[in-house]
Amino acid sequence: MAKFYTKEHEWVEMAGAQATVGISEHAAHELGDITFVELPKIGKSVKQFEALAAIESVKAASDIYAPVSGKVAEVNQALDEAPELVNQGAELQGWICKLEGVNEAELGALMDAAAYDEYLKGL
Amino acid sequence: MGYCPNTPDDIRDMLAVIGAASVEELFAPIPAELRAKSFDLPPGMSELELMRLMREKAASCGADITPFIGGGIYDHFIPAAIDHLASRAEFYTAYTPYQPECAQGTLQALYEYQTTICRLTGMEASNASLYDGGTAVAEAALMSLRITDRHKVILDGSVNPLHREIVTGYLHGLSAEAVDVAPDGCASDLARLMASIDDETAAVVVQSPNFFGSVQDFRELAQKAHDHEALLIVSCYPIAMGLVASPGEMGADIAVGEGQSLGNHVSFGGPYFGFIATRKRFIRNLPGRIVGETIDHQGRRGFVLTLQAREQHIKRHKATSNICSNQSLCALRGLIFCTSLGRKGFEDLAQLNYDKAQYAKSVLGAVRGVNLLNRGATFNEFTLALPKDAGEVVQRLLDKGVAAGVPLGQYYPDMEQALVVTVTEKRTKDEIDRLAGLFEEVLWS
């Protein structure tokens, strides 16, 4: 299943009605050393593009916005102890959380990998 | 590192670089009518004239009055070393230590301050200080909202009324509510506090010694709060920590208090500093700045501002606090005070306060018609019931050169005849005896 990206540098990957969410490699690189990820509470409902979680690095703090609407089903607990996992693999082991009850139609408002690459070139 | 103001040459050079002709031109975008026309300052004075003026002003502030007043601010002895060390330019004129390579001294002092506050309060992590005691209580309440994601804070009525007012003000705009629980006489109504805790409660805020001077044990209350996943916030009087159980020992999650009593002059209401300390697991929710110890690239020990990303210069409107003045210099005085005394000295000081207050209790309580209202232990303050309006008694005693205490009627409408009397180590037996004599005189003649 393909990844989709937001202008705010989050990615989402669908598996059935469940979506895994994280921040892009580009975002992790820009943030520098990640020191803390404020994970969302399980059961929290979010609308597309609403604040979902927060991330802190040695030089910045930013919100992570939900790429799609849904309810938090699972969080990457490993980030509590090892936030650097985001630097090591933002789009792999550094995932943030999983959302359930996702409406796939919302993916239409996002970019695929090729479009996101183009978008990055224009920044 | 010195921080000198800009010379006219500096200003000219800087203006040249940015291409402004004058400072006036720099401020041009701000409409003239919004700018101060004048600061209404009198012309300059010679040092001699200035000293004379300030001495006159000081004399009109009751400097010669013997104070038996406390209520959160205390007349303690301040060793000369504190004024001397805290006025060293490296501390006195240093700006915020954002550049660790230039500010190791300031950072180390604040790091030691944090350690001291943790030891005093029985906690694991302290920030580098807050604005004052009242805002420290409020910041702790906000912390509890963030940690628990709940909206109800239970406020014990024997917490300093000014602090409670600040908490209520802080919560007002946050769709959070403060629930007041009236005290039982001079003590917290523990049964009612416990009954008020539910699964919506973010925290319970108590104080020991409380506003009436009573010392209480909150262990059971801490347990009850934790059963509901709520926090216990304990406000404390640092000098008392030399003698009574610390917030940490009682199971508190956040300890706060006013730091003035640690080496800071009463000074007409400020500046003071507030302290806040918590358990390690809540450190990310601690407001303000925290100094950490680290090593540089050569492995040498050094100090830095740590977890800075939570602060407002980075996180802007989403920062954990809008407190930007961490009262460093006042906190530094607190640190020098504690290190001057040492553990043993600190315990002796607390004991001296307690002993003198116990003596005052017995002498003042023996005055005809005067009754002690505290039922249990006190530290260096206690509450007396007088046979007359306490405000009037205090007013009459002021004319005789004594500030007899804090009349409670202004804070507790049903306590017009109650007076909180404070006895620090600075009060002598003669002064206490004289106060008892004056009570007798004012009440019965």
Side-chain angles (χ1 to χ4, degrees):
Chain A
M1 187 70 200
K3 277 205 181 81
F4 290 88
Y5 296 84
T6 68
K7 288 181 176 173
E8 296 286 347
H9 311 284
E10 292 92 8
W11 58 263
V12 54
E13 190 170 29
M14 298 298 301
Q18 206 176 54
T20 304
V21 173
I23 66 167
S24 70
E25 293 285 357
H26 168 80
H29 180 76
E30 286 296 307
L31 281 166
D33 288 340
I34 307 289
T35 53
F36 179 62
V37 181
E38 193 181 317
L39 295 165
K41 287 202 163 56
I42 289 181
K44 170 180 170 158
S45 289
V46 282
K47 290 208 159 48
Q48 190 174 32
F49 306 133
E50 265 184 7
L52 168 68
I55 192 158
E56 289 179 13
S57 72
V58 287
K59 61 179 181 181
S62 17
D63 282 332
I64 299 171
Y65 300 98
V68 286
S69 308
K71 191 165 149 191
V72 179
E74 199 183 324
V75 296
N76 187 354
Q77 216 70 59
L79 299 181
D80 271 342
E81 289 304 313
E84 62 274 19
L85 289 173
V86 178
N87 292 110
Q88 291 160 11
E91 302 193 23
L92 298 160
Q93 70 269 41
W95 60 278
I96 305 290
C97 69
K98 294 185 178 173
L99 299 174
E100 61 188 9
V102 173
N103 174 359
E104 285 203 37
E106 287 184 346
L107 296 172
L110 307 179
M111 296 171 272
D112 61 17
Y116 180 63
D117 279 345
E118 279 305 305
Y119 170 71
L120 288 182
K121 281 178 197 153
L123 289 182
Chain B
M1 174 174 180
Y3 292 84
C4 303
N6 300 316
T7 64
D9 285 351
D10 292 336
I11 293 170
R12 209 173 31 246
D13 291 349
M14 289 192 285
L15 288 171
V17 170
I18 58 175
S22 64
V23 173
E24 193 54 33
E25 189 183 297
L26 197 59
F27 286 97
I30 303 170
E33 68 271 14
L34 296 180
R35 285 189 258 160
K37 300 278 178 300
S38 125
F39 294 104
D40 198 19
L41 291 171
M45 278 186 190
S46 70
E47 188 174 352
L48 179 66
E49 287 170 306
L50 182 67
M51 293 301 281
R52 190 176 296 139
L53 175 75
M54 295 316 280
R55 259 196 292 275
E56 276 167 23
K57 286 192 180 299
S60 70
C61 291
D64 52 345
I65 288 179
T66 308
F68 286 91
I69 43 179
I73 306 300
Y74 300 93
D75 180 39
H76 287 290
F77 179 69
I78 298 176
I82 296 180
D83 282 346
H84 179 76
L85 291 171
S87 359
R88 285 187 62 106
E90 299 91 327
F91 288 130
Y92 204 79
T93 64
Y95 187 56
T96 200
Y98 283 138
Q99 295 163 286
E101 61 276 29
C102 307
Q104 282 302 295
T106 299
L107 288 164
Q108 180 168 359
L110 289 173
Y111 182 81
E112 307 292 357
Y113 158 86
Q114 291 170 182
T115 306
T116 304
I117 293 297
C118 287
R119 286 187 185 165
L120 276 180
T121 55
M123 288 287 168
E124 294 165 336
S126 158
N127 78 359
S129 78
L130 289 169
Y131 181 66
D132 66 4
T135 50
V137 181
E139 289 287 351
L142 298 191
M143 248 180 98
S144 75
L145 304 180
R146 290 195 293 270
I147 291 166
T148 60
D149 208 10
R150 296 174 181 177
H151 303 285
K152 188 172 115 180
V153 173
I154 298 171
L155 271 179
D156 174 20
S158 65
V159 170
N160 186 321
L162 300 172
H163 295 181
R164 279 187 284 128
E165 207 176 317
I166 294 170
V167 174
T168 310
Y170 265 61
L171 295 179
H172 181 76
L174 292 172
S175 66
E177 60 163 337
V179 179
D180 286 295
V181 173
D184 173 18
C186 289
S188 307
D189 189 337
L190 289 174
R192 280 195 57 203
L193 283 170
M194 305 240 247
S196 309
I197 302 171
D198 57 21
D199 292 335
E200 302 297 301
T201 307
V204 186
V205 184
V206 289
Q207 180 181 321
S208 180
N210 69 18
F211 197 68
F212 308 103
S214 291
V215 174
Q216 268 178 291
D217 186 351
F218 296 121
R219 284 176 180 85
E220 211 184 333
L221 185 65
Q223 191 52 59
K224 176 80 179 178
H226 296 157
D227 290 346
H228 287 271
E229 290 177 17
L231 306 186
L232 179 68
I233 296 168
V234 178
S235 175
C236 63
Y237 172 9
I239 302 288
M241 297 300 101
L243 194 65
V244 307
S246 69
E249 287 173 83
M250 294 196 277
D253 300 285
I254 310 172
V256 288
E258 170 58 65
Q260 174 274 330
S261 60
L262 305 172
N264 282 270
H265 296 278
V266 173
S267 186
F268 211 68
Y272 304 149
F273 73 92
F275 58 87
I276 185 166
T278 187
R279 307 274 176 204
K280 188 165 176 235
R281 65 179 179 280
F282 299 133
I283 195 167
R284 288 197 169 271
N285 283 294
L286 198 56
R289 61 180 51 146
I290 300 161
V291 178
E293 184 191 327
T294 185
I295 48 171
D296 72 1
H297 66 106
Q298 295 171 25
R300 295 175 300 184
R301 181 186 190 217
F303 300 91
V304 290
L305 287 178
T306 194
L307 300 176
Q308 277 198 84
R310 313 153 317 117
E311 274 206 79
Q312 55 183 343
H313 64 290
I314 290 180
K315 220 171 179 176
R316 304 293 171 185
H317 61 291
K318 293 196 169 117
T320 46
S321 161
N322 66 355
I323 293 266
C324 44
S325 53
N326 82 52
Q327 305 304 95
S328 276
L329 196 64
C330 298
L332 172 76
R333 297 180 66 99
L335 168 67
I336 301 168
F337 181 87
C338 292
T339 41
S340 308
L341 269 67
R343 177 184 285 273
K344 178 76 174 70
F346 205 91
E347 286 169 358
D348 291 348
L349 175 67
Q351 190 67 48
L352 198 54
N353 274 261
Y354 175 79
D355 292 346
K356 289 194 172 193
Q358 289 300 101
Y359 173 74
K361 249 197 221 181
S362 64
V363 182
L364 299 174
V367 175
R368 263 187 307 159
V370 175
N371 291 306
L372 180 69
L373 287 180
N374 311 77
R375 285 198 293 268
T378 56
F379 172 57
N380 71 351
E381 299 181 270
F382 48 89
T383 304
L384 297 175
L386 308 179
K388 287 187 178 171
D389 181 279
E392 285 172 29
V393 173
V394 167
Q395 208 50 53
R396 287 188 57 192
L397 288 174
L398 271 177
D399 300 337
K400 300 180 185 294
V402 176
V406 178
L408 281 178
Q410 56 190 324
Y411 304 117
Y412 300 91
D414 55 343
M415 297 183 90
E416 264 95 5
Q417 300 194 337
L419 181 71
V420 179
V421 179
T422 307
V423 183
T424 69
E425 76 285 350
K426 280 175 77 174
R427 298 290 69 80
T428 63
K429 181 173 180 299
D430 286 352
E431 287 171 336
I432 296 167
D433 292 338
R434 178 164 181 260
L435 179 64
L438 287 172
F439 265 166
E440 182 80 36
E441 193 181 313
V442 164
L443 293 172
W444 301 107
S445 59

